[in-house]
Amino acid sequence: ARRQERASDLESAAAATASAVARQREAEAATEFAREYEQKLKQLSASGLVAPVDLTRAAADTKKFVAAAESLSSDIRRIESDARTRVSQHDATIESLRHQIASLEGGMASSRAAIASLSGDKDKYVVRAPISGRLGNVTPLQPGAYVTEGQPLATIVPVGDLRLVADFDPSLVDIRRVLKRPR
């Protein structure tokens, strides 16, 4: 859009310049005619055939047409200068936008790298139970508390029939007595 605005400004400035150049040529032609007319009136005034007021009016007309031609020449320079300024502003805006795009793309690349890094680390921050069941003997923790890897946080009571598991040294138990017990 900025490039199109820039091109439109250039076209508009070219059209305005062309119009001012045409008006300047018209003013220069009128100036040339006024100078020639004033010169002829001077010659006729010297012979006494023209009133002095007519010669003064012709001189004033010549000055007016010269001033109009100079004004149009100044307008052409102003139009061209304004066009250069607007084009420079558009170019600066376009460069600023390019810089912002490059900065945003760099930020996106950095964010993608951070996401990839964190995706690999996310398993370190997930608490998983080795089996399904109900929680028992839960360690009280506050939100944001630090736990180490492998630290027991709760006891899982599996769903289903109760099983008794004993942890003992087999050499200390008389197996015959355990087997004779009534169930």
Side-chain angles (χ1 to χ4, degrees):
R2 292 292 182 175
R3 286 187 198 115
Q4 288 175 346
E5 284 181 34
R6 182 183 186 276
S8 293
D9 272 353
L10 284 173
E11 287 178 24
S12 175
T17 301
S19 175
V21 167
R23 288 192 319 269
Q24 182 186 27
R25 279 186 286 202
E26 179 183 355
E28 287 173 350
T31 301
E32 185 61 32
F33 176 79
R35 281 186 180 145
E36 289 176 11
Y37 183 68
E38 180 185 2
Q39 196 62 30
K40 288 185 185 197
L41 285 181
K42 278 183 184 178
Q43 292 170 356
L44 292 172
S45 178
S47 304
L49 297 173
V50 174
V53 73
D54 289 334
L55 181 59
T56 304
R57 184 177 295 127
D61 285 346
T62 301
K63 287 179 183 177
K64 181 174 76 171
F65 288 124
V66 167
E70 288 173 355
S71 173
L72 288 168
S73 177
S74 180
D75 283 350
I76 291 169
R77 287 191 301 274
R78 181 188 50 77
I79 289 168
E80 290 172 345
S81 175
D82 288 349
R84 282 191 300 272
T85 300
R86 284 192 307 275
V87 166
S88 293
Q89 289 171 342
H90 286 301
D91 289 344
T93 301
I94 289 168
E95 268 314 302
S96 174
L97 290 171
R98 282 186 187 143
H99 178 71
Q100 288 176 2
I101 289 169
S103 177
L104 290 171
E105 286 174 346
M108 285 173 32
S110 176
S111 294
R112 283 188 191 111
I115 288 169
S117 173
L118 291 172
S119 292
D121 290 347
K122 71 180 178 183
D123 289 337
K124 292 180 182 178
Y125 303 103
V126 175
V127 176
R128 287 197 177 95
I131 58 171
S132 63
R134 292 185 176 193
L135 290 177
N137 196 22
V138 177
T139 304
L141 294 172
Q142 297 297 321
Y146 180 78
V147 294
T148 60
E149 188 175 341
Q151 176 183 346
L153 301 177
T155 302
I156 308 273
V157 178
V159 179
D161 294 335
L162 180 63
R163 285 191 247 166
L164 182 60
V165 177
D167 184 18
F168 58 88
D169 185 2
S171 64
L172 299 177
V173 176
D174 182 6
I175 194 75
R176 286 174 280 162
R177 273 197 288 166
V178 172
L179 291 176
K180 286 184 184 179
R181 271 195 199 152
R183 288 188 181 197

